[in-house]
Every structure is written in C-alpha cells, then in structure tokens.
Amino acid sequence: MARAVATQTFDVALRLLHPVMPFVTEALWRRFPGRPAEASISVAPWPRPDPRAEDPAALREFGLVQELVGAIRGIRAEYGVQPGQRVRVVVSRDGGAPDPVLGRERATVSRLAKVSELVFREPTERVGGHAVLSDGTSVFVPLGDAIDVGRECGRLSGEVDRLAQLVASQEKKLGNEQFVSRAPADVVDRERQKLAGWREQREVLARKRELLGCG
C-alpha cells in the first residue's frame, strides 16, 4: 500500500513538473515499471483533483487557526513587540466557547505566534491589543509584560500630536476659499483625501493609547 501511494505521488509530481523540467521528468517517468517504450509524459493526462481528498471541515478549521496566528502576529507588529519576546494570549467568544479546534491546535498556535500562554476565558486585564476573528472570537494580548508601556505611550502621544498639527494645517488650507476655487479639482480631492487619512490615523492611534491605559 505504501509503495503504491509513493508511486502515485511521484507520478503526479513528475507530470506537474514536466512543463518546467521537461527532460529530467521525461527520463524519470519512462523508468516506471511496466511503462511502454513509446509512452511519453508529454502526452500523459494532466493530473486531476481527487475528490476523496476534499475536506471542507478541515479547511474551515485550518483557516480559523491561521486567522488566530495572523491576529496575534498583527498585534505583535502593531505594538512593536520584539520578535523573540513571547506573549500571553486570551481567547474568548460572546455567547459561548471558542471553536474547539483552537484548543486542539494550541501547540501549533503557540509555536507559530511565539505564545507563552494561551487561555480560553474572558480577559481580566485592560492593557493590551485586541482583535476579532471572522467567527466572532475575541483575541486579547496583554502587553504590560511584553513592551515598555510608558515608552510606547510617549511615542503614541508624539505621533498623535504630529497628526493633530497636520490635520489643523490641512483644515486651514481647505478652508481657504481661494485655494478651493482656484486649484484644479483633482488637486483639491487629493488634499481632502490626505486630511481624511490623517484624521483616521489620529483616531486609530488615540484608540491605541486608550487600550494601553495611557494617561
């Protein structure tokens, strides 16, 4: 059985590789036992998907685990957690328990996202990063022991102040009737898009300061 599976797998792999590696795949494919002398991989049928391998439930579960790892990595990157620093993660879901696959794949998540502790309950701490998965599962990463909160608060405050100055300057510019009436429409639109982007960035950073408990 194992030999048959290995033979089938190698046969399919050779046919998939043939368009980019024609000569070596042809030579190897023709060495299969029982292959007629005139047979050629170049006219062999292209491999078709095997419906026996389809597993929608496994795909959904893997997607959720992948999403959790991505959410934790995103929080780490957003708050500047050092690559080698492990973090604690709290996973919860309103109205019920998180999907059991997250518990079964605890070791996988911990390894891929550098997690020191993964627990399933409501968070009891306030300082940290938040994310929500597509099925409504909440992810909370406490950051008090992973980053210098005071330093990060100072950095965010400086960035919020810088954006506030940009917003004020841009509002003044767009409030100038002469500029708005005389400048080309596409230029005015670009300036308005800048203002909207800076306002959004300011709100996001202000929200981050709130989540970190900055004064």
Side-chain angles (χ1 to χ4, degrees):
M1 181 64 181
R3 181 175 295 180
V5 172
T7 301
Q8 172 67 12
T9 302
F10 191 44
D11 182 22
V12 170
L14 289 175
R15 282 184 279 164
L16 290 173
L17 282 171
H18 182 68
V20 293
M21 301 176 63
F23 300 109
V24 67
T25 52
E26 178 75 33
L28 291 172
W29 191 79
R30 295 185 69 172
R31 291 174 66 92
F32 273 64
R35 196 80 75 193
E38 68 279 6
S40 173
I41 194 174
S42 61
V43 293
W46 188 252
R48 295 180 178 274
D50 187 346
R52 294 174 300 176
E54 295 178 2
D55 191 340
L59 286 175
R60 184 196 65 79
E61 291 180 348
F62 176 78
L64 192 60
V65 172
Q66 188 177 34
E67 196 177 349
L68 175 58
V69 171
I72 298 169
R73 287 179 172 178
I75 293 172
R76 293 176 61 100
E78 182 180 358
Y79 287 94
V81 178
Q82 293 299 312
Q85 173 73 44
R86 292 191 171 273
V87 297
R88 294 178 293 120
V89 178
V90 181
V91 177
S92 61
R93 186 176 182 182
D94 290 339
D99 195 297
V101 70
L102 300 180
R104 294 198 303 269
E105 296 297 333
R106 185 193 305 262
T108 301
V109 173
S110 298
R111 183 177 69 255
L112 295 177
K114 284 189 166 52
V115 174
S116 60
E117 181 184 24
L118 177 61
V119 296
F120 298 91
R121 56 170 171 75
E122 291 296 323
T124 57
E125 300 174 65
R126 296 189 60 186
V127 177
H130 297 259
V132 179
L133 306 186
S134 59
D135 70 339
T137 298
S138 297
V139 182
F140 176 73
V141 178
L143 294 171
D145 53 359
I147 64 172
D148 186 333
V149 176
R151 181 177 179 181
E152 182 66 7
C153 285
R155 186 189 71 81
L156 291 173
S157 295
E159 189 65 13
V160 168
D161 291 343
R162 184 185 71 84
L163 287 168
Q165 292 176 5
L166 289 173
V167 167
S169 175
Q170 194 74 346
E171 287 176 340
K172 183 177 179 180
K173 183 177 184 179
L174 290 171
N176 186 332
E177 187 60 35
Q178 289 187 345
F179 169 76
V180 174
S181 60
R182 293 182 180 179
D186 60 326
V187 172
V188 176
D189 286 341
R190 282 199 300 269
E191 296 302 314
R192 285 174 175 159
Q193 289 172 10
K194 285 182 184 178
L195 176 58
W198 288 333
R199 282 173 172 167
E200 183 178 1
Q201 291 176 40
R202 183 182 61 180
E203 291 172 3
V204 169
L205 294 181
R207 175 61 177 162
K208 286 176 67 174
R209 291 186 73 255
E210 181 182 343
L211 292 174
L212 287 176
C214 302

